[in-house]
Amino acid sequence: MKPTLYQRITAPFVEPYVRYQHADILHATRLGTAVILALLVNKITNLPHGEWTTITVFIILGLLQYQGAIYTKAKERVIGTLLGIGTALGVLWFNQNAGAWLWVDYALIGLLSGIIGYLAVRQLGYTGLLTGITMLMIVSDLGNNSIGQDGIYRALNILLGTGISVAVTLILPLKSTLMWRFLLSSNLDACSSLYAGVGHHIDATDGVVDDSVQKLNPVALPVKEVPVDRALVTALQQINKRLLAVRPHIAATASESGIEKETLETIQRTHRNIIGTIDLLLSAAPRLANIEIDEENHVLLVHYQHELTQAMQHMAAVLRSPSDEVFRPITRIAVSEYPSVQHLAFEWQGYFWLTQTLQTQLQQLSDLLQTSKPHWFAASGLGYQRREQRRMKEQGGETDLHL
């Protein structure tokens, strides 16, 4: 069923997978909307130093796209601002009621700044930094009452800006858990295509040996290598870019879903190992293209590669699916049950060994995803799941789950 013009226009705003594909555009739209709202709030409230509302919106949303990271930043900013206001009011009270010399007040501010700096480095981080900045905005000139009042207004505008940022994020959400799922899904799909491309390269040039090259120098160059398609190398580069893009989502996904960060790190490491193994298979392909293999083992290899390719596609489909699907076993093929593999050329034995390694890594990733699925599936949002299920019903279902 072909989507209507209205569906194509609204898809980036209502369908999470399309939203993931257009995340940069959505982020720009959301930031612009938040800034306009901040300007309107400034106009309505007419608070002094209203520029801090828009500045705060840019600080929170400018470089952060996803809910988990935005909420963390907003929480730290609110807590830091409130702690800073409380600390500053304490200093002002001391200044008004203790009747101490000015240098004592300065010494107190210096002492508090040192304590805040120590806690910022050891534990509080950005929250500690905001605590110190807010305190100094209010107490920077104890003899000038307007400075303290201006500092309070700035702090209130910061809280307003934080609220606007969170509100806009709720209206147009980009959840880190969904982005983590979709990035991993896209990479598994790309890995399946790349792995299939390696097999096709070997099959396409199978048996084409340049005897003249071997006769000229049989020791130095016993087998002529057949370079792989440049598109496969480019695809591998794109896969590595997405692998790096997953990294910033791990902490936020752990926060949103409740999955242990160590589990997500293990998934990321297994993800990286799978890419590394396919890279090794890609490197071996030019040489294997012209090394003979008997028909029986060739059929085994083709079937083996087909099963692993489909397994990666199935894992990608389950990660994308809004339904509570189950990750199936990778393959039931066991190379150890085929003794003839041990009599192949050394290069082919190595290729089978790498393929076995890939199978083991895919099974490890599948098991990790299945174990953690109750958490990341729930964290993706019930609204997303219901909406996607309705869309699938209207369009005839998600066929790539039944490979």
Side-chain angles (χ1 to χ4, degrees):
M1 179 180 176
K2 189 176 180 180
T4 64
L5 177 62
Y6 173 78
Q7 288 174 325
R8 287 200 298 269
I9 293 173
T10 59
F13 300 97
V14 298
E15 295 184 15
Y17 187 66
V18 182
R19 195 182 302 158
Y20 149 72
Q21 293 174 311
H22 300 86
D24 294 344
I25 296 173
L26 186 61
H27 171 66
T29 304
R30 187 170 61 185
L31 179 58
T33 303
V35 169
I36 292 172
L37 286 175
L39 292 171
L40 290 173
V41 168
N42 288 340
K43 192 71 175 176
I44 293 169
T45 60
N46 204 28
L47 289 173
H49 302 289
E51 69 275 4
W52 280 93
T53 307
T54 49
I55 289 171
T56 300
V57 166
F58 242 99
I59 289 173
I60 293 177
L61 295 182
L63 291 176
L64 300 176
Q65 292 178 277
Y66 305 102
Q67 277 182 301
I70 290 170
Y71 291 165
T72 300
K73 189 88 165 183
K75 181 179 71 175
E76 290 173 343
R77 198 158 183 83
V78 169
I79 293 173
T81 300
L82 293 176
L83 286 175
I85 292 173
T87 305
L89 290 176
V91 173
L92 291 175
W93 178 89
F94 181 82
N95 174 257
Q96 294 292 327
N97 296 281
W101 290 306
L102 188 60
W103 69 266
V104 176
D105 295 327
Y106 285 174
L108 176 61
I109 294 172
L111 177 63
L112 288 172
S113 298
I115 293 171
I116 291 169
Y118 175 80
L119 293 174
V121 172
R122 294 297 299 269
Q123 189 174 11
L124 294 180
Y126 186 66
T127 301
L129 178 66
L130 261 295
T131 301
I133 290 173
T134 305
M135 178 190 73
L136 293 175
M137 282 196 308
I138 298 172
V139 303
S140 58
D141 190 348
L142 290 173
N144 189 342
N145 290 332
S146 65
I147 294 294
Q149 190 177 41
D150 289 346
I152 294 291
Y153 280 126
R154 289 190 185 102
L156 290 175
N157 283 313
I158 286 171
L159 295 176
L160 280 174
T162 303
I164 291 169
S165 300
V166 172
V168 173
T169 303
L170 290 172
I171 295 169
L172 296 172
L174 283 169
K175 293 179 75 72
S176 285
T177 303
L178 281 172
M179 299 306 113
W180 172 80
R181 283 176 61 178
F182 295 151
L183 282 168
L184 183 54
S185 172
S186 295
N187 248 12
L188 284 168
D189 259 337
C191 283
S192 71
S193 298
L194 178 60
Y195 181 56
V198 173
H200 294 155
H201 172 78
I202 294 172
D203 288 340
T205 53
D206 188 31
V208 182
V209 183
D210 191 342
D211 293 331
S212 62
V213 174
Q214 293 189 48
K215 289 176 181 177
L216 286 172
N217 196 349
V219 177
L221 189 62
V223 177
K224 182 182 178 182
E225 295 187 357
V226 180
V228 296
D229 189 342
R230 183 65 188 171
L232 296 179
V233 179
T234 303
L236 181 62
Q237 292 171 348
Q238 293 300 317
I239 288 170
N240 280 314
K241 284 183 180 179
R242 274 191 294 268
L243 173 68
L244 293 175
V246 173
R247 167 61 57 188
H249 294 288
I250 290 178
T253 299
S255 175
E256 289 176 2
S257 65
I259 302 173
E260 292 290 335
K261 191 175 179 182
E262 291 76 9
T263 302
L264 291 170
E265 290 288 358
T266 304
I267 290 173
Q268 177 76 349
R269 186 166 56 252
T270 308
H271 178 193
R272 184 172 62 247
N273 290 342
I274 289 169
I275 295 170
T277 302
I278 294 177
D279 188 9
L280 291 173
L281 289 165
L282 181 63
S283 300
R287 184 175 180 82
L288 286 171
N290 284 328
I291 297 179
E292 292 185 2
I293 181 172
D294 62 272
E295 184 63 25
E296 180 184 351
N297 283 310
H298 183 260
V299 171
L300 169 63
L301 180 63
V302 169
H303 186 55
Y304 201 3
Q305 290 178 322
H306 178 69
E307 292 241 327
L308 295 187
T309 300
Q310 286 206 322
M312 284 184 268
Q313 292 171 352
H314 178 78
M315 290 168 67
V318 174
L319 279 165
R320 281 194 305 271
S321 174
S323 303
D324 193 6
E325 304 289 342
V326 176
F327 290 91
R328 69 189 186 193
I330 299 302
T331 179
R332 291 183 173 83
I333 295 177
V335 175
S336 58
E337 296 177 1
Y338 298 87
S340 58
V341 173
Q342 300 175 12
H343 303 293
L344 291 172
F346 174 77
E347 292 85 354
W348 275 116
Q349 290 187 45
Y351 190 83
F352 269 100
W353 178 81
L354 283 173
T355 306
Q356 276 186 290
T357 302
L358 179 61
Q359 176 188 345
T360 302
Q361 292 166 345
L362 288 171
Q363 190 61 62
Q364 288 173 348
L365 181 60
S366 179
D367 293 342
L368 285 166
L369 291 172
Q370 184 62 51
T371 302
S372 59
K373 185 172 184 181
H375 296 283
W376 57 255
F377 185 75
S380 298
L382 187 60
Y384 152 70
Q385 294 157 17
R386 287 174 176 169
R387 184 166 55 249
E388 287 294 280
Q389 285 168 351
R390 285 198 302 270
R391 182 181 63 81
M392 284 166 51
K393 187 176 181 181
E394 292 171 0
Q395 297 183 5
E398 181 126 353
T399 56
D400 56 357
L401 282 173
H402 308 288
L403 297 167

